[in-house]
């Protein structure tokens, strides 16, 4: 495993272009397996999780090719000739989003078998809502010896009225994908509303699906026999990557224009940053974040909730910002009960934080100092990088690969903003 070596103290300055959304692209690639023609995907980030997803699709028989068209990089996927055995490669264990292939292959081949998905370890990551939805669509669901087996009859799935007991991004996308080829109409009630759910729905509709309501809490899908495809689709910008750079700009007392974003998606963060006294200058597709050296950052309370609430995937990065606010701040994590594994590392760096259940009570401002820390999961790793950028001395962030899973060209982008960061084996 490699590490990042980061010399702290440089204020980030300049502009950074945000890449395509990891979580949207993962859903879109899986959904492309349902399509009966070619599709061309643009703005897909070059990161490890995407590589793994593409390899799994290729091993299932899809033709996957990187191409350059009109000077734009794209990925061509043709899933017309999938292997009929419905067994997915064991690489599905490496990433969480491989679970979307359950919905896609169940919809297309009427059966699928795969290993339990992997991804960041926040303790328990149940899939009961996925299973419940597949069963409502008429599939038999079996889990044994680390395998998931789904089988529909020869006729395939049948539309159903599904009520999710938990607002789940994964279950919403998975069931929406599966329902596209079910006979009849499906409703997904209490659906999640994250931007990448809308993106996957837009992609599927562009390929011939009939989905309405994505982005609201009731999604309606009218099943179609085929999804002709044959279209080009561009993935939305990454809300979480954008938020990570915005927070890094504020924590280092920098001045950064974060470009190629959808400002609406950033509101759960930008509204709060503004309330903390940080300058947020928002344009049609950018946001400038500026925090002067002498600015007294105001304390704040954040609570993570499903979109349009504050995203849990920005929780660790935001907690670093709270260590720089003057007074008592509070982070409340309501999505992943055990997403505070990184707090010990921040305390070692000099932060004053007390965790009580889902509450992290932060007293600031704290001067952070360099030490050796670990990227315990993707977003915790991003938080360590941000803390290191503001710390005095050279911090080693171990297991950099964990961060590279989700951030395209992180060292390059941060270096261009003036950070001192290098990757060492
Ligand atoms: N849940 C259930 N049952 C289910 C599914 C979820 O109880 O069947 C619970 C979970 O335990 C959790 C809550 O519902 O408490 C939300 O989980 P959700 O299903 O929404 O999460 P996910 O689909 O597994 C995606 C992202 C995560 C992000 C969460 C929440 C992808 C590939 N992953 O996970 O992203 O934290 O939504 O927004 O889209 C990341 O990118 O770093 C990441 C972890």
């Amino acid at each position: 495993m490699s590490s990042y070596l980061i010399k702290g103290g440089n204020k980030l300055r300049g502009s950074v272009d945000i890449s395509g959304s990891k979580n949207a692209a993962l859903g879109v690639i899986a959904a492309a397996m349902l399509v009966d023609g070619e599709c061309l995907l643009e703005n897909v980030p070059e990161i490890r999780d995407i590589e793994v997803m593409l390899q799994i699709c290729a091993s299932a028989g899809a033709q996957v090719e990187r191409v350059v068209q009109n000077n734009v990089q794209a990925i061509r996927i043709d899933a017309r000739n999938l292997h009929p055995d419905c067994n997915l490669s064991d690489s599905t264990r490496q990433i969480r989003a491989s679970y979307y292939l359950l919905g896609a292959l169940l919809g297309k081949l009427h059966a699928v078998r795969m290993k339990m998905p992997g991804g960041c370890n926040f303790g328990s990551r149940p899939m009961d809502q996925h299973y419940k939805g597949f069963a409502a669509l008429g599939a038999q669901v079996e889990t044994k010896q680390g395998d998931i087996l789904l089988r529909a009859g020869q006729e395939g799935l049948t539309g159903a009225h599904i009520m999710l007991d938990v607002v789940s991004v994964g279950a919403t996308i998975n069931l929406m994908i599966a329902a596209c080829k079910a006979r009849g109409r499906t409703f997904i009630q209490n659906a999640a509303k994250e931007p990448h759910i809308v993106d996957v729905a837009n992609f599927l509709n562009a390929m011939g699906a009939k989905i309405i309501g994505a982005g609201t809490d009731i999604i309606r899908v009218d099943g179609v026999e085929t999804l002709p495809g044959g279209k080009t689709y561009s993935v939305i910008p990454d809300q979480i990557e954008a938020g990570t750079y915005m927070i890094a700009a504020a924590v280092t007392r920098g001045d950064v224009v974060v470009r190629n974003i959808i400002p609406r998606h950033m509101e759960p963060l930008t509204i709060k940053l503004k309330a903390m006294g940080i300058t947020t200058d928002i344009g049609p597709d950018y946001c400038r974040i500026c925090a002067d050296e002498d600015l007294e950052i105001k304390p704040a309370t954040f609570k993570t909730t499903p979109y349009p609430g504050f995203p849990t995937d920005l929780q660790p990065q935001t907690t670093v910002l709270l260590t720089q606010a003057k007074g008592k701040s509070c982070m409340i994590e309501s999505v992943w009960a055990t997403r505070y594994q990184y707090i010990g590392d921040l305390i070692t760096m000099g932060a004053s934080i007390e965790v009580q259940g889902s509450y992290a009570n932060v007293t600031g401002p704290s001067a952070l100092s360099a030490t050796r820390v670990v990227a315990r999961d993707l977003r915790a790793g991003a938080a360590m990088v941000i803390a290191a950028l503001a710390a005095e001395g050279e911090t080693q962030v171990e297991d950099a690969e964990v961060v590279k899973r989700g951030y395209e060209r992180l060292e390059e982008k941060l270096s261009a903003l003036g950070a001192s960061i290098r990757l060492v084996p």
Side-chain angles (χ1 to χ4, degrees), residues 272-318:
K272 299 288 284 190
L273 291 180
K274 199 168 169 204
M276 294 174 80
I278 294 155
T279 302
T280 55
D281 176 8
I282 300 167
D285 64 352
Y286 69 84
C287 179
R288 174 177 163 235
I289 297 290
C290 174
D292 287 339
E293 181 73 63
D294 50 5
L295 170 75
E296 202 166 83
I297 298 177
K298 294 183 194 142
T301 294
F302 283 78
K303 180 175 184 179
T304 67
T305 54
Y307 190 82
F310 190 77
T312 173
D313 290 344
L314 286 176
Q315 180 261 103
Q317 304 89 313
T318 305

Side-chain angles (χ1 to χ4, degrees), residues 22-23 97 99-100 122 125-130 166-170 196 312-313 335-336 339 378-379:
K22 166 179 90 80
N23 288 345
Y99 56 21
Y100 294 140
F122 312 133
R125 292 188 77 172
M127 289 186 58
D128 56 306
Q129 300 302 308
H130 302 238
V166 181
V167 179
S168 159
V169 172
H196 44 294
T312 173
D313 290 344
V335 179
W336 302 114
R339 203 175 194 172
L378 170 58
R379 309 304 174 185

Side-chain angles (χ1 to χ4, degrees), residues 42-60:
E42 294 177 354
N43 207 30
V44 176
E46 286 192 32
I47 50 176
R48 212 207 58 162
D49 275 20
I50 296 287
E51 282 313 312
V52 174
M53 185 62 127
L54 292 173
Q55 278 164 20
I56 301 169
C57 292
S59 71

Side-chain angles (χ1 to χ4, degrees), residues 32-312:
M33 298 290 275
L34 193 66
V35 177
D36 304 295
E38 249 183 39
C39 16
L40 201 61
L41 306 179
E42 294 177 354
N43 207 30
V44 176
E46 286 192 32
I47 50 176
R48 212 207 58 162
D49 275 20
I50 296 287
E51 282 313 312
V52 174
M53 185 62 127
L54 292 173
Q55 278 164 20
I56 301 169
C57 292
S59 71
Q63 284 179 23
V64 177
E65 194 188 358
R66 286 192 183 277
V67 293
V68 178
Q69 197 165 284
N70 303 329
N71 278 336
V72 178
Q73 301 240 12
I75 297 172
R76 182 180 290 140
I77 300 184
D78 183 343
R80 273 176 286 195
N81 295 306
L82 297 181
H83 301 320
D85 71 2
C86 319
N87 276 334
L88 287 165
S89 102
D90 290 0
S91 305
T92 52
R93 280 192 293 212
Q94 293 179 33
I95 56 172
R96 193 76 196 158
S98 55
Y99 56 21
Y100 294 140
L101 294 166
L102 291 172
L105 296 198
L106 182 63
K108 190 163 199 174
L109 304 175
H110 304 168
V112 56
R113 179 188 196 118
M114 72 170 241
K115 297 279 175 213
M116 285 288 172
C120 290
N121 180 9
F122 312 133
S124 153
R125 292 188 77 172
M127 289 186 58
D128 56 306
Q129 300 302 308
H130 302 238
Y131 300 150
K132 194 184 96 166
F134 290 137
L137 292 169
Q140 275 180 25
V141 180
E142 222 183 306
T143 54
K144 61 175 180 196
Q145 291 160 354
D147 281 6
I148 305 168
L149 279 106
L150 305 179
R151 256 181 253 110
Q154 280 194 338
E155 299 283 281
L157 300 169
T158 309
H161 203 133
I162 302 165
M163 168 75 190
L164 296 178
D165 303 315
V166 181
V167 179
S168 159
V169 172
T172 302
I173 292 181
N174 226 343
L175 299 173
M176 188 173 77
I177 293 173
C180 282
K181 284 194 171 174
R183 276 170 298 129
R185 179 169 282 184
T186 296
F187 286 99
I188 305 169
Q189 194 137 346
N190 199 25
K193 298 179 270 205
E194 269 66 6
H196 44 294
I197 290 165
V198 180
D199 208 38
V200 176
N202 286 343
F203 163 75
L204 282 164
N205 283 342
M207 300 301 138
K210 290 192 176 157
I211 303 170
I212 62 168
T216 74
D217 45 22
I218 303 182
I219 298 178
R220 194 183 88 186
V221 186
D222 282 321
V224 293
E225 272 187 25
T226 53
L227 293 171
K231 297 275 166 58
T232 300
Y233 189 81
S234 185
V235 171
I236 52 167
D238 196 306
Q239 177 204 25
I240 305 302
E241 187 200 17
T244 302
Y245 284 100
M246 288 179 182
I247 294 165
V251 170
T252 61
R253 306 297 180 137
D255 187 347
V256 174
V257 181
V258 180
R259 297 194 304 208
N260 183 35
I261 60 166
I262 297 175
R264 183 89 209 252
H265 295 168
M266 303 314 303
E267 281 175 4
L269 175 65
T270 49
I271 291 170
K272 299 288 284 190
L273 291 180
K274 199 168 169 204
M276 294 174 80
I278 294 155
T279 302
T280 55
D281 176 8
I282 300 167
D285 64 352
Y286 69 84
C287 179
R288 174 177 163 235
I289 297 290
C290 174
D292 287 339
E293 181 73 63
D294 50 5
L295 170 75
E296 202 166 83
I297 298 177
K298 294 183 194 142
T301 294
F302 283 78
K303 180 175 184 179
T304 67
T305 54
Y307 190 82
F310 190 77
T312 173

Side-chain angles (χ1 to χ4, degrees), residues 253-416:
R253 306 297 180 137
D255 187 347
V256 174
V257 181
V258 180
R259 297 194 304 208
N260 183 35
I261 60 166
I262 297 175
R264 183 89 209 252
H265 295 168
M266 303 314 303
E267 281 175 4
L269 175 65
T270 49
I271 291 170
K272 299 288 284 190
L273 291 180
K274 199 168 169 204
M276 294 174 80
I278 294 155
T279 302
T280 55
D281 176 8
I282 300 167
D285 64 352
Y286 69 84
C287 179
R288 174 177 163 235
I289 297 290
C290 174
D292 287 339
E293 181 73 63
D294 50 5
L295 170 75
E296 202 166 83
I297 298 177
K298 294 183 194 142
T301 294
F302 283 78
K303 180 175 184 179
T304 67
T305 54
Y307 190 82
F310 190 77
T312 173
D313 290 344
L314 286 176
Q315 180 261 103
Q317 304 89 313
T318 305
T319 303
V320 178
L321 176 61
L322 296 182
T323 69
Q324 303 306 303
K326 187 172 164 55
K328 291 193 182 305
S329 294
C330 183
M331 176 58 75
I332 308 165
E333 173 57 63
S334 82
V335 179
W336 302 114
T338 49
R339 203 175 194 172
Y340 283 137
Q341 294 101 320
Y342 67 92
I343 295 273
D345 294 286
L346 270 186
I347 292 173
T348 314
M349 293 181 80
S352 168
I353 307 175
E354 255 179 64
V355 175
Q356 287 172 323
S358 58
Y359 286 62
N361 297 306
V362 186
T363 308
S366 297
L368 301 177
S369 51
T371 178
R372 187 189 285 202
V373 292
V374 183
R376 295 183 191 275
D377 63 58
L378 170 58
R379 309 304 174 185
M384 290 304 114
V385 169
I386 295 173
L389 291 171
E392 195 180 324
E394 187 172 72
T395 300
Q396 178 169 358
V397 182
E398 291 180 350
D399 293 358
E401 277 77 9
V402 173
V403 184
K404 291 171 84 66
R405 276 185 39 215
Y407 289 88
E408 189 177 50
R409 296 183 285 109
L410 180 77
E411 312 90 272
E412 202 183 300
K413 289 186 183 187
L414 282 174
S415 299

